[in-house]
Amino acid sequence: MPAASDTRQSIVDAVLRIIGQDGIAAVTNRRIAREAGVSLGSVTYHFATQHELLRESLLRFVAEETRHFTELADSCADECFDIGQAADVVARVAGGDAFDSRHIAPFELYVQAGRDERLRAAAAECFTAYDLLATRVLSRLGVPDPERLAGAAVALVFGQQLRRLATGAPAEDLVDALLVLTRPAPSPAP
């Protein structure tokens, strides 16, 4: 018999898959039970409301993203960090070539956080981790005032990822767009 924490994890993983595949409206207890391989009673035992399910899913996603982006940010502490390493970090953030349900689910959850203020604190935690990573990358590249630019860099990444999701644009477009921030502005013509 699986431990309660394993069952909860299976349920949350199923919720994230469902959201990524078909959106939040597709999250039903029956579908969750089927996707997670648990009984319907297990879903309602572990999560009394859909809000609780969505909040736990967002928090779980945030915890994974925060850990992942904190590790990436820590890897940016290398003294010889250069534009090539920055491009590699951006490519890892972009998630490679495939846009699967794991990449789509966060967009759905962030939009839901815009509708449900009870989810906003969890979403804010994730953006804090994104901002930390952006600040460290920009700082290591010698970009002036990296804390001020971090939010813009994160917004650019999200916007490019959303564009990529909607159009099928390659991940390289995201890397190129973000690296534009690191280039010094051209001097005005005399």
Side-chain angles (χ1 to χ4, degrees):
M1 178 176 213
S5 63
D6 293 341
T7 301
R8 283 182 74 87
Q9 180 64 48
S10 294
I11 292 168
V12 167
D13 290 344
V15 168
L16 289 171
R17 275 193 311 278
I18 293 166
I19 291 171
Q21 292 166 356
D22 296 315
I24 289 175
V27 176
T28 66
N29 287 353
R30 289 187 191 289
R31 180 148 179 210
I32 294 165
R34 188 174 54 248
E35 290 268 338
V38 300
S39 70
L40 182 58
S42 289
V43 175
T44 57
Y45 173 79
H46 287 283
F47 299 97
T49 65
Q50 187 177 48
H51 167 73
E52 206 179 310
L53 267 167
L54 294 176
R55 183 175 180 282
E56 179 80 17
S57 297
L58 182 55
L59 287 172
R60 187 70 53 101
F61 173 78
V62 166
E64 290 173 14
E65 287 289 275
T66 300
R67 181 189 49 73
H68 175 69
F69 286 121
T70 301
E71 288 171 3
L72 282 174
D74 289 345
S75 75
C76 295
D78 183 5
E79 284 300 319
C80 58
F81 190 78
D82 63 15
I83 200 77
Q85 288 170 304
D88 179 57
V89 169
V90 171
R92 287 192 282 170
V93 168
D97 295 328
F99 236 120
D100 56 16
S101 63
R102 173 131 174 83
H103 292 91
I104 297 169
F107 285 99
E108 294 275 351
L109 286 166
Y110 293 138
V111 169
Q112 187 65 24
R115 292 183 187 111
D116 184 346
E117 67 184 45
R118 298 171 296 179
L119 298 175
R120 288 187 189 144
E125 284 181 44
C126 203
F127 279 95
T128 297
Y130 296 147
D131 289 348
L132 173 64
L133 175 61
T135 298
R136 289 200 183 158
V137 169
L138 293 170
S139 177
R140 294 303 309 147
L141 291 173
V143 173
D145 206 2
E147 294 85 8
R148 190 169 145 253
L149 289 177
V154 169
L156 177 61
V157 169
F158 267 79
Q160 286 287 40
Q161 284 185 310
L162 187 57
R163 180 183 185 133
R164 185 173 159 226
L165 170 64
T167 65
E172 293 78 26
D173 289 356
L174 170 59
V175 174
D176 290 343
L178 191 58
L179 293 179
V180 165
L181 284 179
T182 66
R183 295 184 185 117
S187 300

